[in-house]
Amino acid sequence: MLYDALVSREILAMAPRARRFFVGKRRGSLGLEQRAIHGLLIRWSRRGKRVVRLKCGDPFVFGRGGEEVQALVAAGWPWR
């Protein structure tokens, strides 16, 4: 599970067995580069892992959901 800063602890608690990786960005702090997040999504998918990307709000309006989908499609991986 790759999650952003605004995802609540209550939401994260709904998947107690999931491996969690914070990939959020906050104003004034350095986060993972977007390209690195794309790499994690693709690498773990290729390893046969079920990858979940959690964001708050609409990821196609407030986040980089479109970019992440484009990276998966370019790598030949299905998404939903």
Side-chain angles (χ1 to χ4, degrees), residues 8-79:
S8 71
R9 289 182 183 178
E10 292 82 10
I11 295 295
L12 295 174
M14 296 173 105
R17 296 185 337 211
R19 291 182 61 195
R20 299 179 190 139
F21 298 89
F22 176 74
V23 295
K25 298 172 180 69
R26 284 289 206 188
R27 186 174 147 188
S29 68
L30 296 175
L32 240 80
E33 289 184 10
Q34 192 63 39
R35 195 167 60 190
I37 295 170
H38 296 171
L40 292 173
L41 291 168
I42 294 164
R43 183 173 35 236
W44 291 339
S45 294
R46 286 183 175 158
R47 291 181 182 169
K49 305 293 183 187
R50 180 177 298 160
V51 182
V52 174
R53 178 69 167 102
L54 289 179
K55 295 175 175 251
C56 277
D58 186 333
F60 295 97
V61 174
F62 301 112
R64 296 181 179 236
E67 291 177 37
E68 293 172 1
V69 167
Q70 287 176 331
L72 291 170
V73 168
W77 291 101
W79 67 278

